Amino acid sequence: MNIIEVNDLSKSFGNKNVVNGITMKVNKGEIYGFLGRNGAGKSTFINMLTGIINPSSGSFSLLGEDKIDRVKNRIGVLPDYSSFYDSMTAYNHLRFFSRIQGFNPTKEIIEHTLETVGLEKAKKKKLSQFSFGMKKKLGIAQAIINEPELLFLDEPTSGVDVESAIQIKELIDKLNKNGQTIFMTSHNLNEVEDICTKIGIMKNGEIHSEGTLRELKTTYQSSLTAQIKVGPAINKHARQEIDQFLNNEFQQFDWEDNRLIVNIQEEDDIPVLIRMLINKKIDIYSVHLIEPTLEEVFLERDVAI
């Protein structure tokens, strides 16, 4: 089932096209990571889907409905910047904003939601005492208190400390395992690599690339690196023959003490290397395949976000 379906969606401000003809789908149960540099159009895109601003052209549907008013009680939204009243406690904040949105949660629901995001011990604290990371968690609590089927998170870990970022990522994973479909924007490649099941890369208002992490790496990576630990003693003649073979077959390789490091095109090249070393009577202690990170794939291959 397509939880989000977007058709040729665009948004212009004056003569500037911020979102330019995006067409995409998000399936039920996915954590969809929407990547892009600051200014790429991510927040504008998510603001259209959540009804904050109107598209210039195109259409979209959420949960099978093409009118946002029909699904507003079935979605949750964490905007990039949330408003908080510092004089309120966390408990009162959730109760107040829930009622504004037409939802009247019980005391048990509010306390359970605060516990879900790790703020149960801070429920009576005033928000003036909250760190930035705690306010991000409270924003997520506000987004999930009505148990939405679809959750929009705009830069959920932006500006938070490392510990809070880890806790928020764990929370996102937990929410997804409980059945929520999550659409999140981010410029943090490592974060998206850790938790997202599908990724879209936005560049200049358009989706430049889309797919699973494996699909994107397969499409754009130029090579893998095989690191092979061999016996400490290789005679000069064997070393020359190995180097000649590597020059002919792989071009890029290096020796670091008793480790042979070779850039290969695919995993099938590894048994070729191993057979060659065995034929030269070289002892092999370990073989380690190093794959590029998402950051390396996109930042080093001019598919930069």
Side-chain angles (χ1 to χ4, degrees):
M1 175 183 177
N2 295 326
I3 297 295
I4 301 174
E5 188 166 347
V6 180
N7 296 297
D8 201 24
L9 198 66
S10 297
K11 181 63 180 179
S12 299
F13 295 98
N15 295 325
K16 184 177 181 181
N17 293 326
V18 179
V19 176
N20 189 19
I22 288 182
T23 296
M24 62 174 298
K25 296 177 182 178
V26 176
N27 297 321
K28 183 178 175 61
E30 286 185 333
I31 303 179
Y32 190 103
F34 203 52
L35 290 170
R37 293 191 188 278
N38 290 334
K42 304 186 308 297
S43 292
T44 299
F45 181 73
I46 205 171
N47 285 343
M48 284 191 285
L49 296 189
T50 54
I52 296 174
I53 60 176
N54 293 320
S56 299
S57 62
S59 63
F60 66 91
S61 64
L62 306 178
L63 302 167
E65 299 283 354
D66 60 3
K67 301 294 185 184
I68 190 71
D69 287 345
R70 295 175 182 170
V71 294
K72 64 180 182 179
N73 293 326
R74 298 167 63 194
I75 67 172
V77 182
L78 172 71
D80 189 14
Y81 296 100
S82 301
S83 297
F84 300 97
Y85 291 106
D86 285 348
S87 60
M88 282 188 173
T89 64
Y91 180 96
N92 287 337
H93 172 87
L94 278 189
R95 184 175 61 178
F96 175 71
F97 277 94
S98 295
R99 288 176 175 175
I100 286 177
Q101 295 166 356
F103 179 58
N104 190 17
T106 64
K107 177 176 179 289
E108 290 73 23
I109 289 175
I110 295 173
E111 290 183 345
H112 174 71
T113 304
L114 288 170
E115 182 181 359
T116 298
V117 300
L119 292 176
E120 67 273 17
K121 294 181 180 179
K123 67 180 181 180
K124 295 182 179 180
K125 272 190 177 182
K126 289 189 176 181
L127 302 191
S128 58
Q129 300 175 285
F130 272 35
S131 67
F132 189 77
M134 292 171 73
K135 287 183 176 179
K136 278 282 189 176
K137 292 177 188 176
L138 185 59
I140 294 175
Q142 184 178 324
I144 67 173
I145 193 167
N146 61 331
E147 298 185 344
E149 299 168 55
L150 172 60
L151 185 59
F152 290 95
L153 303 175
D154 196 358
E155 301 283 358
T157 62
S158 175
V160 306
D161 59 87
V162 173
E163 182 178 359
S164 294
I166 292 171
Q167 292 170 349
I168 290 171
K169 286 191 291 185
E170 290 174 347
L171 173 59
I172 292 170
D173 184 59
K174 179 182 177 181
L175 293 170
N176 180 247
K177 287 178 179 176
N178 287 337
Q180 290 176 322
T181 302
I182 297 171
F183 185 96
M184 57 178 282
T185 68
S186 180
H187 63 272
N188 187 326
L189 287 163
N190 293 329
E191 172 182 283
V192 170
E193 187 168 19
D194 285 344
I195 62 176
C196 292
T197 56
K198 194 173 181 181
I199 299 165
I201 308 294
M202 192 172 191
K203 189 175 181 182
N204 298 326
E206 301 177 350
I207 294 184
H208 188 285
S209 308
E210 186 183 50
T212 64
L213 179 60
R214 169 60 59 187
E215 289 168 345
L216 294 176
K217 283 185 174 182
T218 300
T219 301
Y220 292 105
Q221 70 190 18
S222 58
S223 66
L224 305 170
T225 300
Q227 187 179 93
I228 304 172
K229 184 178 180 182
V230 298
I234 301 177
N235 66 57
K236 184 178 179 180
H237 179 69
R239 173 67 177 269
Q240 288 175 340
E241 290 185 338
I242 292 170
D243 286 356
Q244 182 177 357
F245 175 86
L246 294 171
N247 271 319
N248 292 336
E249 298 294 330
F250 297 100
Q251 287 80 51
Q252 292 185 308
F253 69 94
D254 194 15
W255 291 90
E256 292 183 1
D257 298 325
N258 61 327
R259 284 181 170 82
L260 172 60
I261 301 169
V262 186
N263 284 350
I264 61 177
Q265 295 301 313
E266 54 188 2
E267 292 183 1
D268 289 346
D269 290 330
I270 294 176
V272 175
L273 283 169
I274 292 174
R275 283 194 294 269
M276 179 272 295
L277 293 171
I278 291 174
N279 288 337
K280 302 301 179 185
K281 303 188 184 304
I282 304 300
D283 293 329
I284 299 172
Y285 288 83
S286 66
V287 179
H288 181 51
L289 181 64
I290 303 172
E291 294 186 90
T293 64
L294 187 60
E295 184 173 13
E296 290 170 332
V297 169
F298 288 100
L299 296 185
E300 294 182 6
R301 294 280 300 167
D302 195 31
V303 191
I305 65 168

